[in-house]
Amino acid sequence: MKNQEIAKILSGIARYLEMESVPFKPYAYEKAAITVESLEEDIGQIYREGGTRALEEIPGVGKGIAERIEEYLKTGKIKDYERMKKRLPINLDEISAVEGMGPRKAKVLYEKLKIKNLKELEKAAKAHKITPLFGFGEKTEKNILEGIEFLKRSKGRFLLGEILPKAKEVYEKLENLKEVEKVDMAGSVRRRKETIGDLDFLVISKSPSKVMDFFVSLPGVVKVWGKGATKASVRLKEGYDMDIRVLSAKQYGAALQYFTGSKEHNIALRKIAIDKGYKLSEYGLFSGSRMIAGATEEEIYHKLGMAWVSPEMREDHGEVEAALNEKLPQLVELKDIKGDLHVHSSWDGGVNSIKELAEAAMAIGYEYIGIADHTKFLRIEHGLNERQLKRRNQEIDKINEGFKNKDLRFKILKGCEANIMADGSIDINNKTLAELDYAIAGIHSQMKMSREQMTQRMIRAMRNPHVDIISHPTGRILKRREEFEIDFEKILKVAKEVGTILEINAYPERLDLNDINIRRAKEAGVKMIINTDAHQKDQLRFMEYGVFQARRGWAEKEDIINCWPAKKMIKMIK
Ligand code: DGT
Ligand code: CA
Ligand code: CA
């Protein structure tokens, strides 16, 4: 599949066009990149079967873009793009990864200071060479250095959302190998941690050497760190590593338990074993020299006097005590989700029409979908004003009417994702908010406020009786932007008091609330909702990442309002 490569190039072109200040086009390319990236079909296949015509059927792909995709599929490159890169040889991946550094700023920095990459940017910021430039104040220099520090801290870790699909591909290939009796992912990817250092696989096989040969010659392997009789480690072209171990069935459970981690969970478990006079290792649970468990994880946990613990909870955050005392939560599951209330339609520049989104939601088996278009403050996101919202609502009413006539129980809910202004007011008037089924409000600007100010800002928004849900409550973007400063305890207190629902945003870069905040909200009795923030229909499948995060935060069905019966949920948000 060339989808990812092509998406990357389209988004590269978008950034070059933005550097050149070409109007509208960057947006179109960016949008096409998002679509191609989350396309489930192989784009090469689409082209082979239907030519550029078929490519143009992909939402967001027009004639020009289709031709460029064709050029890439035929020749392996796009001439225009190569020219752009030659003219402005900037490592934009590096530079624009720094929060606040867009393509236009990168261009100024290249033209004035010949800055091409992160290293040169850091050097220039430290030497205060950026301040004297037009439009780059002293604060920018500080922000750049903070941004670079943040990047360094998250370096070498990959988003679960980008790496899990790849892990699944490898998993399937191993599973289909006839020498493989059983395969599992282990490590942080099995625990569904939001970022992943490397992938770990465990396999049962009687012919380990065959499995080793297969593993080190998987497509995309660019380096073999090591290859032994039963274990191997490789580097993939995308920059991450994968480890594999082959085991016998007898000790597979012990190895799976050990290599799933976390290390902290394992240490806690080993202590329980010692207290019982046993010894626990990756080879099994032993009483003296006699192995008393090892084939499955379940028997190991049971022999230790505890219930099996879901991998997402294995962080030594109290799960060991809970498992000993039969107090483990009934974690929420993907199949419990009945709908998604944070979806952007073509009204605010999203890719799909409301009808297409509704159909996609029905295909998943949802009972409802909530359209939460951006509102007017967010001009770059084509935010809607009061009048446009009204017109959009009419369209929704009409589609809903059609569903009713066809006896479909499915419903589209009228929402919005309004903007919380710096003073905590909402950018849409109360009258219009009252006409919606629900309103989400979120912070999208001015994130560098003091903790006190930010807390008051959020609280004021929550106290607006028309605001039902706060989207991505801490504003973080993984590997890019730290959470903003906020007194989360206070937020929880007010949320509990006025019944505000906090969002678990399932978008892979956000996953906001994070696991720890989810746990805190649950304990404070604050209700949450898992939403995808999809900007196109294929992104509705991001829901699973939100569910993983919710499980890592010990959330149960009753904590998550879109697991409730639809009627009860609607009553809650009205
Ligand atoms: P990652 O790869 O950084 O996202 O995180 P993990 O948890 O996948 O860590 P990794 O790949 O280094 O090791 C996989 C598991 O193996 C880890 O979760 C627990 C276990 N493990 C590795 N090293 C140690 C160790 O020194 N002590 C203990 N108790 N367990 C270890
Ligand atoms: Ca790992
Ligand atoms: Ca590893």
Side-chain angles (χ1 to χ4, degrees), residues 167-315:
K168 282 181 178 164
E169 275 176 33
V170 173
Y171 174 94
E172 274 165 29
K173 283 185 183 147
L174 287 167
E175 200 182 26
N176 288 331
L177 202 67
K178 73 172 189 304
E179 286 82 9
V180 167
E181 285 166 43
K182 184 169 169 44
V183 54
D184 276 284
M185 296 180 204
S188 52
V189 76
R190 183 168 180 235
R191 304 198 310 279
R192 304 293 195 249
K193 222 177 138 170
E194 62 198 26
T195 64
I196 305 293
D198 70 355
L199 294 178
D200 304 278
F201 292 94
L202 299 183
V203 160
I204 301 180
S205 173
K206 291 195 184 82
S207 345
S209 69
K210 288 263 169 58
V211 180
M212 294 294 111
D213 291 342
F214 179 79
F215 188 72
V216 300
S217 50
L218 279 167
V221 170
V222 289
K223 194 177 176 77
V224 178
W225 297 116
K227 182 184 171 211
T230 58
K231 52 187 190 179
S233 181
V234 296
R235 163 72 47 96
L236 274 292
K237 69 171 189 295
E238 290 92 342
Y240 60 87
D241 293 343
M242 302 198 297
D243 296 343
I244 192 169
R245 278 188 170 71
V246 179
L247 300 140
S248 69
K250 198 170 87 197
Q251 50 173 231
Y252 186 75
L256 183 58
Q257 196 291 311
Y258 179 86
F259 289 107
T260 295
S262 68
K263 202 169 151 187
E264 292 73 20
H265 174 83
N266 288 354
I267 291 169
L269 220 56
R270 227 159 28 222
K271 271 202 202 115
I272 306 283
I274 291 167
D275 289 347
K276 288 193 171 313
Y278 301 150
K279 190 173 160 282
L280 176 64
S281 73
E282 59 183 287
Y283 305 109
L285 182 64
F286 294 89
S287 173
S289 61
R290 192 170 55 94
M291 181 161 150
I292 55 170
T296 68
E297 280 192 332
E298 282 81 357
E299 65 175 16
I300 291 170
Y301 283 99
H302 292 167
K303 283 267 160 64
L304 291 174
M306 54 204 286
W308 179 83
V309 179
S310 291
E312 293 95 329
M313 296 179 66
R314 299 185 194 174
E315 299 291 347

Side-chain angles (χ1 to χ4, degrees), residues 59 74 119 139 176 181 285 319 358 384 405 427 476 573:
K74 276 188 172 161
K119 232 183 168 161
K139 222 168 137 203
N176 288 331
E181 285 166 43
L285 182 64
E319 74 281 5
L384 310 187
N405 292 340
D427 67 337
R476 73 161 178 181
I573 55 177

